[in-house]
Amino acid sequence: MSDKSERLFEALGELSDAHIDEAAGAEPAQQKGKPHRRRWAAAAACLALVAVGVGSLSGVIPLLPGAPGNGTGGAGHDEASTFMSYAGPVFPLTLREENDSISAQRDITLDFSPWVREWVSNEEEVAAMEGLTDAERQDAMEQHDEWFPEGGYHRSSDHILVTDAYTLTNPGDADQTVTVLYPFAASLGSLDEGLPALTLDGAALEAGLHVGSYAGGFRGVDGPDDPRFLNLRQAGSWEDYRDVLSDGSYLQNALEAGPDVSAIPVTVYEFTDPYGPARDGDAGIPNPSIRASFGLDYDETTVLTYGFHGARYDREGGTMIQEFSIPMSWGREDGLFYLLVLGEDIEDLTTGGYVTGGTDADTPTLEGCGVTVERYESDLDTMLREILTPEWEERSRSYYQDDLRLSIDFETFYRAFLEHLLSYGLLSPQTVERYDGSWLENMVRDVTVVDRVCWLEAEVTIPAGGSVTLTASMTKEASFDFACAHTANQGVKGYDLVTRLGSNLSCTAQTATLEDRGQIQIVRQNFGFDLENGVNTVTLDPEVEHYYLEVRRAETE
Amino acid sequence: MEDSAIIDLYWARDQAAVTETDRKYGPLCRSLSLRITGSREDAEECVNDTWHRAWDTMPPQRPGCLRAYLCRIARGLSIDRWRARRAQKRGEGTEVLLSELEDCIPAAPSAEEVWEAREVAAAIDRWLDGLDRESRALFVRRYWYGDRVDELAARWGRTPNGTAQRLRRLRAGLRRALEREGVIL
């Protein structure tokens, strides 16, 4: 590609506000299916008045155990770098029930074969695409020839392959069956990339999945002294993981059943079938919108919303406004909007049409628009499942962006969402500012991307007087600094492991082997590898909790 | 909170402006930045930088459309971040966008003086104005916001292949329009 395309891309940045704003209003398609309930208010016209009832809030669950504080990371950092993007360490195997009669030898291999550059031809790329018609395949080929006129491109990765093998020995005179738990750091959106594969003596081992809660915290926009926790502070070092895993409560929580919110009653206001004049800037209708206004006592009522994208919260005045743009024919296919009211019901709900979004008092009203509002009683579990199922389906689709795509079942996703909502959201006794609005969508994304510790669980039988080898194989991302930050670690990739954190398994020995593939030069480490002198396997000291390896790509030809 | 009130907070140097901005426009700007940089960490930092830039520029600025103003800042910062990381072969989504935009480059003698970005954008604005609303949104979502083709296809209920073909026609149309206007890149 040429500098001209980059110049054109940059010039596009100067497009008019009208075009940018118009396209921003093109919301993603929402679910088509709608629940079939009796409509208590059919096609309420603009400014319809809605009656209210009364409910109560119960069953609030306290902050999850083990979550680190919201400051700036743990103390006692070793000589390893603190990278701007931290992938998390490789953790050791543990047993669900402590068992002193089982011992283990751990042998871990760090394999840099993904670093080897590989030529991928356009033909290979297109041939690997499945389900294309001849015409589509031809089109894809033309597209690739345009993108890569050299006929292909070189592909490499800064991930490594990790093989974490445990020889489990049973010196007793009876077979023993133990439940093993293999931990790994991941977000829900990256689970399929870093999911370990377990084998037992070379045969695939079926494993269940346990997902831990958020392993990080929150921070202010203006740094550690800013008390308004608006930003995520993802786990940034192995000490952050130490803080959440060290007392065992984090794992215990992950192994237990998730929260149950079915006993929390909610009053639901469901908005469907909004209609109104089409957007027409020349006619003074730049963004036809529906506003819902109502009164509430903020101390007695909690409102969760879905589908709305503008709001005003007036705690002192006891009012709230929620608004959304009337879906356009080329935008959302079927708008669905909810107010979930917990505690005392809201009062004096009115809906009205306006020529544009926002909640300005002087925005002209808009005739000829309306929305159907249905009020009914339900419970929080039912409603969240109804709202989140389409979100989960959408985020599970193959085209979804890699680090945001879900590869887990709904129940796992739902549990993670509930834990986040109850720990940090409006239903937490310690709501963080990031979630002090009412929009459930904001939390859905965070639930997908935040760092966690997850465990694979499997049963293993170790014969009397014998041994088995359990192996976890996985692709491990690198930790790194952003290149644009121009830190001393530019181009340096970090990989690390912990020797006993969170593990009750008695390891008689641990070794580490480096398969460097001629791709790296070591910048910093505490393993003791010496590539020049052929020291590629070292014995680890169990008293050293954390081992780190920091490398950069070796200069070649 | 309404846009004008948020802008008033900036002018009053009230730090709640950042809170309200993040609450209202954080998801949109994060999504935009993520598509360009290809990294959620980068996107988070770009959005933080966007709020800082907004704080630094209001006052004296009082944008007529706050959403577009913030998105414009976020996009510029994200492109800068992507450029800085290009050597690491990350942010490949933007590489693909640039490859596609090659289709739009008008033929012109290389000795001619290039147009200012603002003049080029004005020409594109004029071309966009002549499109139907759906085509306009499709083009801007793809090349301004960086939406993926398959996401756009899903949004408008079309096949990815059909959407790619349509974008190709739009690129060809833009190229002809820029050539008609004598735009030099």
Side-chain angles (χ1 to χ4, degrees):
Chain A
M1 75 199 68
S2 67
D3 290 346
K4 291 183 177 181
S5 62
E6 204 166 327
R7 226 157 28 233
L8 181 58
F9 189 55
E10 191 156 2
L12 281 164
E14 303 285 337
L15 284 185
S16 71
D17 284 358
H19 290 142
I20 297 166
D21 202 43
E22 178 187 59
E27 297 291 336
Q30 297 294 295
Q31 66 280 11
K32 283 184 174 178
K34 285 184 289 187
H36 297 287
R37 291 200 185 84
R38 190 175 59 81
R39 301 295 166 99
W40 73 277
C46 295
L47 304 176
L49 188 64
V50 179
V52 298
V54 176
S56 65
L57 172 62
S58 62
V60 171
I61 297 173
L63 189 68
L64 289 169
N70 292 316
T72 54
H77 199 72
D78 53 26
E79 297 302 312
S81 299
T82 299
F83 286 102
M84 298 170 79
S85 177
Y86 182 54
V90 178
F91 297 100
L93 183 77
T94 188
L95 302 180
R96 183 149 183 168
E97 302 292 338
E98 194 163 355
N99 188 331
D100 292 338
S101 65
I102 302 295
S103 64
Q105 152 121 11
R106 182 190 196 189
D107 300 291
I108 188 166
T109 301
L110 311 176
D111 181 354
F112 280 75
S113 57
W115 281 48
V116 178
R117 287 198 171 101
E118 144 188 51
W119 175 257
V120 181
S121 72
N122 292 342
E123 287 82 2
E124 287 172 313
E125 280 282 272
V126 174
M129 295 179 175
E130 296 176 352
L132 296 187
T133 64
D134 289 346
E136 287 171 334
R137 195 169 296 284
Q138 178 65 28
D139 189 51
M141 195 65 220
E142 287 174 13
Q143 190 91 82
H144 275 72
D145 285 341
E146 285 176 24
W147 292 344
F148 309 110
E150 303 84 5
Y153 64 98
H154 280 104
R155 179 168 61 193
S156 68
S157 166
D158 57 16
H159 297 178
I160 62 170
L161 302 180
V162 172
T163 307
D164 195 8
Y166 298 80
T167 303
L168 303 171
T169 300
N170 171 15
D173 53 9
D175 292 357
Q176 287 212 57
T177 298
V178 295
T179 302
V180 298
L181 293 165
Y182 189 77
F184 59 102
S187 67
L188 296 185
S190 67
L191 258 180
D192 53 350
E193 283 181 15
L195 187 70
L198 299 186
T199 59
L200 189 66
D201 289 335
L205 191 59
E206 268 195 42
L209 176 69
H210 297 284
V211 171
S213 55
Y214 178 32
F218 298 87
R219 65 180 176 192
V221 173
D222 295 327
D225 297 329
D226 183 348
R228 299 162 308 140
F229 292 147
L230 286 167
N231 286 349
L232 295 172
R233 185 185 63 74
Q234 299 265 34
S237 68
W238 80 275
E239 290 97 333
D240 282 339
Y241 288 102
R242 180 190 61 192
D243 292 347
V244 298
L245 293 175
S246 55
D247 73 356
S249 61
Y250 181 94
L251 169 59
Q252 194 58 39
N253 180 71
L255 296 179
E256 290 172 352
D260 178 3
V261 294
S262 60
I264 300 179
V266 294
T267 303
V268 182
Y269 293 85
E270 182 178 319
F271 296 67
T272 51
D273 304 323
Y275 63 90
R279 174 179 301 188
D280 184 349
D282 293 338
I285 311 174
N287 178 17
S289 300
I290 298 284
R291 282 186 206 172
S293 308
F294 47 90
L296 73 164
D297 179 342
Y298 280 80
D299 292 328
E300 302 297 330
T301 301
T302 299
V303 178
L304 302 174
T305 71
Y306 180 76
F308 294 85
H309 57 76
R312 175 193 285 179
Y313 306 94
D314 182 356
R315 174 174 274 274
E316 288 184 5
T319 61
M320 185 185 295
I321 297 173
Q322 295 284 344
E323 65 100 12
F324 59 83
S325 300
I326 297 173
M328 309 188 69
S329 59
W330 46 267
R332 300 171 80 121
E333 292 176 7
D334 183 12
L336 193 56
F337 309 88
Y338 289 102
L339 298 177
L340 306 183
V341 181
L342 289 77
E344 289 186 9
D345 203 354
I346 58 176
E347 298 176 335
D348 304 329
L349 172 65
T350 60
T351 58
Y354 292 84
V355 297
T356 192
T359 56
D360 289 335
D362 57 357
T363 301
T365 56
L366 183 60
E367 299 299 322
C369 60
V371 62
T372 301
V373 183
E374 180 185 7
R375 176 187 178 280
Y376 52 88
E377 304 292 337
S378 185
D379 64 82
L380 188 57
D381 182 65
T382 300
M383 292 314 301
L384 288 179
R385 285 176 182 277
E386 189 160 313
I387 289 169
L388 294 175
T389 297
E391 286 277 354
W392 168 77
E393 288 172 344
E394 174 70 14
R395 289 165 189 274
S396 300
R397 290 185 186 172
S398 59
Y399 64 72
Y400 222 80
Q401 196 155 325
D402 286 349
D403 63 349
L404 296 176
R405 185 172 57 237
L406 295 174
S407 57
I408 51 173
D409 60 36
F410 175 76
E411 290 303 322
T412 305
F413 168 70
Y414 180 57
R415 175 212 174 106
F417 181 88
L418 279 184
E419 289 187 335
H420 212 75
L421 177 66
L422 296 168
S423 296
Y424 309 114
L426 283 179
L427 302 190
S428 165
Q430 301 172 43
T431 302
V432 298
E433 285 81 352
R434 185 177 179 86
Y435 305 123
D436 65 4
S438 55
W439 299 339
L440 291 170
E441 296 93 321
N442 287 355
M443 192 163 283
V444 169
R445 185 185 177 283
D446 280 2
V447 167
T448 307
V449 302
V450 297
D451 296 327
R452 308 167 181 279
V453 180
C454 305
W455 284 266
L456 290 177
E457 177 178 314
E459 284 204 343
V460 173
T461 299
I462 311 165
S467 299
V468 295
T469 299
L470 183 142
T471 304
S473 306
M474 74 201 95
T475 299
K476 188 68 188 161
E477 287 183 34
S479 301
F480 61 91
D481 277 1
F482 304 125
C484 53
H486 302 298
T487 65
N489 269 342
Q490 193 163 336
V492 174
K493 309 294 179 185
Y495 310 90
D496 59 339
L497 65 86
V498 284
T499 52
R500 58 177 198 269
L501 176 61
S503 176
N504 56 22
L505 189 59
S506 168
C507 273
T508 54
Q510 298 196 39
T511 69
T513 298
L514 177 60
E515 298 281 1
D516 65 292
R517 310 285 179 183
Q519 298 296 311
I520 58 170
Q521 54 186 111
I522 296 175
V523 176
R524 211 170 285 113
Q525 63 158 328
N526 67 342
F527 280 90
F529 296 128
D530 184 348
L531 297 180
E532 284 185 6
N533 293 303
V535 180
N536 282 50
T537 297
V538 295
T539 299
L540 304 182
D541 179 355
E543 294 306 310
V544 177
E545 278 192 279
H546 178 236
Y547 280 91
Y548 58 92
L549 173 66
E550 298 173 16
V551 305
R552 64 171 77 248
R553 187 175 282 281
E555 300 294 335
T556 54
E557 67 267 2
Chain B
M1 179 179 282
E2 65 273 27
D3 286 356
S4 60
I6 295 176
I7 294 168
D8 286 345
L9 288 174
Y10 279 105
W11 276 67
R13 312 313 288 159
D14 185 334
Q15 294 194 357
V18 176
T19 312
E20 296 300 332
T21 305
D22 190 80
R23 191 200 311 272
K24 189 168 183 180
Y25 294 116
L28 176 64
C29 289
R30 280 187 191 90
S31 162
L32 164 63
S33 182
L34 182 62
R35 290 173 198 286
I36 294 173
T37 62
S39 155
R40 61 188 162 87
E41 293 85 358
D42 277 359
E44 193 63 37
E45 293 205 356
C46 285
V47 170
N48 283 348
D49 290 347
T50 299
W51 303 161
H52 284 142
R53 186 74 62 85
W55 180 261
D56 289 342
T57 54
M58 291 186 284
Q61 296 288 333
R62 189 178 277 280
C65 178
L66 184 61
R67 175 159 67 178
Y69 183 75
L70 296 169
C71 283
R72 196 188 298 283
I73 295 173
R75 185 177 188 271
L77 291 172
S78 301
I79 291 172
D80 289 346
R81 181 70 58 107
W82 163 77
R83 281 196 179 118
R85 294 181 61 178
R86 180 161 45 178
Q88 292 186 322
K89 296 295 179 193
R90 299 180 72 88
E92 289 173 74
T94 306
E95 297 279 0
V96 174
L97 283 181
L98 293 183
S99 298
E100 292 182 19
L101 284 172
E102 286 282 322
D103 291 352
C104 307
I105 295 169
S110 57
E112 295 285 339
E113 191 173 345
V114 299
W115 284 35
E116 293 288 333
R118 190 163 299 177
E119 296 171 319
V120 176
I124 300 172
D125 271 331
R126 288 191 287 276
W127 171 73
L128 284 170
D129 284 334
L131 299 178
D132 63 274
R133 189 173 290 161
E134 182 173 330
S135 297
R136 191 161 59 231
L138 185 66
F139 185 88
V140 176
R141 293 287 333 182
R142 175 69 180 144
Y143 299 110
W144 206 94
Y145 289 93
D147 284 9
R148 286 170 37 171
V149 173
D150 44 9
E151 291 173 327
L152 291 169
R155 182 188 323 287
W156 275 286
R158 298 172 188 276
T159 65
N161 194 42
T163 304
Q165 295 293 347
R166 191 167 177 198
L167 284 166
R168 179 176 292 185
R169 286 196 294 275
L170 285 169
R171 294 197 299 270
L174 175 58
R175 176 179 180 148
R176 286 194 296 274
L178 295 180
E179 284 175 345
R180 271 199 306 274
E181 295 223 17
V183 171
I184 314 289
L185 287 169

